[in-house]
Amino acid sequence: MSTKVIQALYNDDDILMDAVKETRKAHHHIEEVYTPFPVHGLDKAMGLAPTRIAIASFLYGCVGLSIATWMMNFIMIQDWPQDIGGKPSFSYIENMPAFVPIMFELTVFFAAHLMVITFYMRSKLWPFKQAENPDVRTTDDHFLMEVAVHDNEEELSDFLKKTGAVEIKVVEKH
Amino acid sequence: MYTFSSKLKVFSFVLIIVGLLGIGYSFISAPKTTADVEKILEAEAHAHHGAHDAHAHDTHGHDTHSAEAHAEHEEHLNHVLHQLQNKPWAALYVAAIFFMLISLGVLAFYAIQNVAQAGWSPVLFRVMQGITAYLPWGSALFFILLILSAFHFNHLFVWMDPDLVNPESPKFDKLINGKKGYLDEWFWLIRAAVFIIGWNLYRYFSRKNCLAQDEASDNAFYKKNFNISAGFLVFFIVTESIMSWDWIMSVDPHWFSTLFGWYVFASFFVSGITVIAMVTLYLKSRGYLEHVNTSHIHDLAKFMFGISVFWTYLWFSQFMLIWYSNIPEEVTYYVTRIEQYNLPFFGMVAMNFIFPFLILINTDFKRITWILVMAGIVILLGHYVDFFNMIMPATVGDKWFIGIGELSSLLFFLGLFILIVFTALTKAPLLPKRNPFIEESKHFHY
């Protein structure tokens, strides 16, 4: 079954913001908005839920810290506690200052890289991914709002025209 | 205009009076002679080891080496006497330098905001100026303490003992003698005077220009303030570094560390920012700061978080480099601290790093008043302990205690700080009128 969407193109982010607010007020469902650059406050205007990626990153950092601690405790203290230059290897805490640079770096490494990978997975981004751009102009100087149609095509396109759209397209989506 | 609430005024007077009484008591109760010290040590020995040890000590005194042992014992008593006599002085010194440096940290932050042309902070400028109003008073009191030290009213600075640089004396110290070109009482006092006068001049003129800008018809005073702020920051970073050697590092004249100035700076800078946040929250809760919103508070909280981590970075860098290489002349500094100051030394890392790190990492928490106040109190106490750890081991050694002397010095300076800061806040409107960035600052939103 195919569904119809209306794609309204704007050429100014201020007009787009107002259009998004009006569309939400009129209870039309915004499927997606395509912009060439981040528009400050757009997520709030669209009512998108806040991201939880910072929480994920914090947890990844905890994993990195644990792995660093476990690794160095096993290698330097448990497995083969050698005397290297008089450093005390009797317990982890006694030699901890020497391990802190690694604990710090691994925490940052895990927090950063796993967060980026999480971002790629959640946004479905990968090297040979087919681009989902509905109109090439949206990467340059146009903004596009996609609104779902439910037997109200006429009314909806009139409404979107009034919000300042420079172009209205009705598209069949598969 | 802000009006000083009578409750807070009375509170600050109570703190000052209680503090003064406690300071007076701690000076009176300090031992005067070695005989007093002997009594104290005996009482301690009884409390710690019971009668048996004291008895063993007595019999030891009667052996063949009794004359030598007696001289050694006398020397020990003298040493402990100096430590105990230093205690009230050191308590006063730590509290005095802590509060003075807080207002200096606020002044540095204020100068940075001016020079950086920050768009968010101008609504807080009058709060910062109010806090720096403590600087003239605090630095004058501190300078008096320095003069008293230089004229041998106390033994806080061991290098001031003339015997140490006298080759004829049995106490002659080659290392301190080598530093006498720098560590000289008069040179030291003149340096201190120059630093304190320089900071106060900047504070005086930047305040004056800021008030004049309110009434001006152009931005000439704003530009003037920009220029003197840039000049002050250059002066500040040089004098701050030397100040940290003179007033803090020189209590341990055998020890030296190159990043010490930065470390001290980070400590009082984060305390200063925390005080800005706390005073702002207080004034906001009383309804005086109309244009301050949670985004301003959020920014201050981010600074508290970031500079706390910066302090930890410097603390750890200094500690780890010395711990790792373990060179005897450097490492004694940490050996005494870890052996005799274990809880304060590591406790402050928990208070200054772990607690603020875990609390202030959350964006939502950075806007919640009670969380910020709690984190702020912990940070301020933690940095008091930091200064305590810097001064006490060299001046009172293992005789340290956070007792009446220390607490009442803290209360006295806290009362004075509240009284001066909130009096200064009543002197000018809390919102600068014609600052070029004031509109942006009023509508700051993050």
Side-chain angles (χ1 to χ4, degrees):
Chain A
M1 194 190 116
S2 65
T3 47
K4 268 187 185 167
V5 292
I6 293 191
Q7 294 178 337
L9 277 142
Y10 301 86
N11 54 11
D12 188 288
D13 50 342
D14 277 342
I15 299 171
L16 171 79
M17 284 287 279
D18 291 338
V20 165
K21 282 174 196 158
E22 278 174 50
T23 313
R24 289 246 302 158
K25 219 189 225 163
H27 298 293
H28 295 299
H29 178 68
I30 300 174
E31 299 267 310
E32 192 62 271
V33 176
Y34 296 86
T35 65
F37 52 78
V39 178
H40 185 77
L42 184 62
D43 53 339
K44 269 206 186 107
M46 287 172 70
L48 300 181
T51 172
R52 289 169 296 180
I53 201 157
I55 299 168
S57 182
F58 183 82
L59 296 174
Y60 297 147
C62 294
V63 172
L65 183 64
S66 310
I67 287 181
T69 310
W70 172 81
M71 181 180 77
M72 282 178 302
N73 183 54
F74 178 72
I75 298 171
M76 303 301 291
I77 309 295
Q78 305 295 333
D79 191 38
W80 196 358
Q82 287 190 104
D83 182 342
I84 303 167
K87 285 277 158 285
S89 51
F90 307 109
S91 73
Y92 191 77
I93 196 72
E94 268 185 297
N95 209 0
M96 200 192 75
F99 301 144
V100 166
I102 298 150
M103 289 156 72
F104 171 78
E105 291 296 346
L106 279 190
T107 307
V108 174
F109 179 87
F110 273 69
H113 288 82
L114 291 182
M115 178 177 77
V116 168
I117 294 169
T118 306
F119 170 74
Y120 286 154
M121 288 166 68
R122 291 291 290 156
S123 353
K124 302 193 175 69
L125 284 173
W126 55 88
F128 298 102
K129 181 191 164 80
Q130 203 65 40
E132 290 167 359
N133 192 356
D135 190 311
V136 285
R137 288 171 295 172
T138 62
T139 64
D140 183 11
D141 62 346
H142 276 65
F143 305 81
L144 189 150
M145 177 163 68
E146 216 170 63
V147 184
V149 180
H150 307 283
D151 308 326
N152 56 353
E153 200 182 311
E154 281 297 279
E155 180 211 344
L156 193 53
S157 56
D158 282 349
F159 171 80
L160 288 173
K161 233 169 228 150
K162 261 186 256 156
T163 61
V166 290
E167 192 180 318
I168 302 274
K169 290 191 287 186
V170 183
V171 182
E172 290 279 340
K173 275 231 160 171
H174 302 288
Chain B
M1 288 292 268
Y2 171 69
T3 45
F4 198 166
S5 89
S6 60
K7 256 193 208 159
L8 193 65
K9 202 178 233 168
V10 170
F11 177 64
S12 68
F13 278 121
V14 169
L15 287 179
I16 291 173
I17 291 164
V18 169
L20 276 178
L21 290 175
I23 292 169
Y25 170 79
S26 69
F27 273 99
I28 291 167
S29 62
K32 304 284 175 295
T33 61
T34 48
D36 295 341
V37 175
E38 192 134 33
K39 266 182 228 153
I40 293 171
L41 289 183
E42 244 166 57
E44 260 175 29
H46 276 284
H48 285 298
H49 312 291
H52 183 72
D53 258 10
H55 180 67
H57 184 75
D58 267 346
T59 54
H60 181 71
H62 290 293
D63 68 9
T64 47
H65 305 290
S66 67
E68 203 178 295
H70 184 71
E72 220 169 78
H73 183 60
E74 274 303 304
E75 203 178 299
H76 175 65
L77 286 182
N78 230 357
H79 177 67
V80 175
L81 175 68
H82 279 175
Q83 289 183 332
L84 290 176
Q85 283 181 334
N86 263 344
K87 260 190 80 175
W89 285 103
L92 209 55
Y93 189 82
V94 170
I97 197 171
F98 180 60
F99 279 97
M100 178 189 69
L101 290 184
I102 282 180
S103 65
L104 183 64
V106 173
L107 194 65
F109 187 76
Y110 169 73
I112 290 170
Q113 296 301 310
N114 269 304
V115 171
Q117 306 190 333
W120 66 278
S121 53
V123 291
L124 299 172
F125 277 0
R126 290 288 151 81
V127 175
M128 297 182 206
Q129 288 169 2
I131 299 170
T132 57
Y134 177 77
L135 187 66
W137 300 86
S139 54
L141 281 176
F142 183 72
F143 191 65
I144 291 170
L145 268 179
L146 294 185
I147 291 174
L148 291 177
S149 299
F151 286 93
H152 305 287
F153 285 86
N154 59 50
H155 306 283
L156 289 182
F157 297 89
V158 68
W159 54 266
M160 287 174 180
D161 185 346
D163 284 345
L164 294 176
V165 290
N166 174 13
E168 308 301 316
S169 164
K171 283 165 84 182
F172 178 67
D173 187 317
K174 210 171 124 194
L175 293 177
I176 292 178
N177 191 47
K179 296 179 183 181
K180 75 175 172 187
Y182 184 77
L183 291 178
D184 168 84
E185 280 100 324
W186 280 105
F187 186 27
W188 183 77
L189 281 180
I190 291 167
R191 281 198 304 266
V194 169
F195 302 166
I196 288 172
I197 290 169
W199 301 335
N200 277 304
L201 283 178
Y202 169 68
R203 134 86 207 157
Y204 176 77
F205 283 109
S206 75
R207 163 86 164 175
K208 204 175 142 199
N209 288 339
C210 186
L211 292 178
Q213 175 69 28
D214 272 8
E215 312 300 328
S217 52
D218 61 1
N219 286 337
F221 287 107
Y222 171 79
K223 287 176 185 161
K224 223 180 249 175
N225 250 358
F226 179 91
N227 291 334
I228 64 169
S229 299
F232 167 73
L233 284 173
V234 176
F235 177 77
F236 170 76
I237 203 60
V238 175
T239 54
E240 190 276 332
S241 199
I242 301 174
M243 166 278 278
S244 74
W245 312 332
D246 279 6
W247 302 342
I248 302 175
M249 199 155 74
S250 87
V251 295
D252 280 296
H254 281 183
W255 182 77
F256 46 86
S257 163
T258 44
L259 65 67
F260 196 72
W262 277 108
Y263 170 68
V264 173
F265 167 70
S267 185
F268 71 76
F269 194 52
V270 68
S271 308
I273 294 167
T274 306
V275 170
I276 298 174
M278 308 265 276
V279 174
T280 305
L281 286 172
Y282 172 78
L283 292 174
K284 178 84 188 154
S285 74
R286 296 288 145 136
Y288 284 109
L289 294 171
E290 185 195 342
H291 295 285
V292 173
N293 56 42
T294 51
S295 294
H296 295 100
I297 305 294
H298 188 145
D299 263 29
L300 284 171
K302 278 189 279 190
F303 269 107
M304 284 162 65
F305 174 81
I307 309 293
S308 283
V309 175
F310 178 62
W311 173 87
T312 316
Y313 166 64
L314 294 175
W315 175 83
F316 182 72
S317 299
Q318 182 170 272
F319 171 69
M320 197 263 233
L321 282 180
I322 290 175
W323 172 87
Y324 211 116
S325 56
N326 204 16
I327 300 173
E329 68 255 37
E330 288 179 348
V331 86
T332 47
Y333 185 82
Y334 286 110
V335 170
T336 47
R337 276 157 184 79
I338 290 172
E339 281 177 358
Q340 297 169 358
Y341 290 73
N342 200 287
L343 182 64
F345 186 67
F346 291 110
M348 78 175 172
V349 182
M351 293 168 86
N352 294 341
F353 173 59
I354 299 173
F355 183 77
F357 181 83
L358 292 177
I359 288 288
L360 294 178
I361 200 167
N362 187 315
T363 299
D364 298 329
F365 284 5
K366 286 199 265 275
R367 291 161 184 262
I368 300 173
T369 304
W370 71 266
I371 287 185
L372 277 184
V373 170
M374 180 177 66
I377 289 170
V378 173
I379 290 174
L380 287 175
L381 288 177
H383 285 283
Y384 170 75
V385 176
D386 187 13
F387 278 91
F388 188 85
N389 277 326
M390 288 194 256
I391 299 292
M392 290 297 174
T395 51
V396 305
D398 60 351
K399 295 284 171 273
W400 71 274
F401 188 68
I402 299 189
I404 291 175
E406 288 75 10
L407 291 177
S408 40
S409 296
L410 202 55
L411 292 185
F412 169 73
F413 282 102
L414 177 65
L416 198 65
F417 188 83
I418 293 174
L419 184 66
I420 292 169
V421 168
F422 285 89
T423 306
L425 286 171
T426 61
K427 295 283 181 354
L430 288 176
L431 188 71
K433 243 181 281 170
R434 285 198 73 261
N435 185 301
F437 290 99
I438 197 70
E439 275 312 306
E440 181 181 341
S441 180
K442 280 183 198 169
H443 301 111
F444 174 67
H445 168 75
Y446 166 73

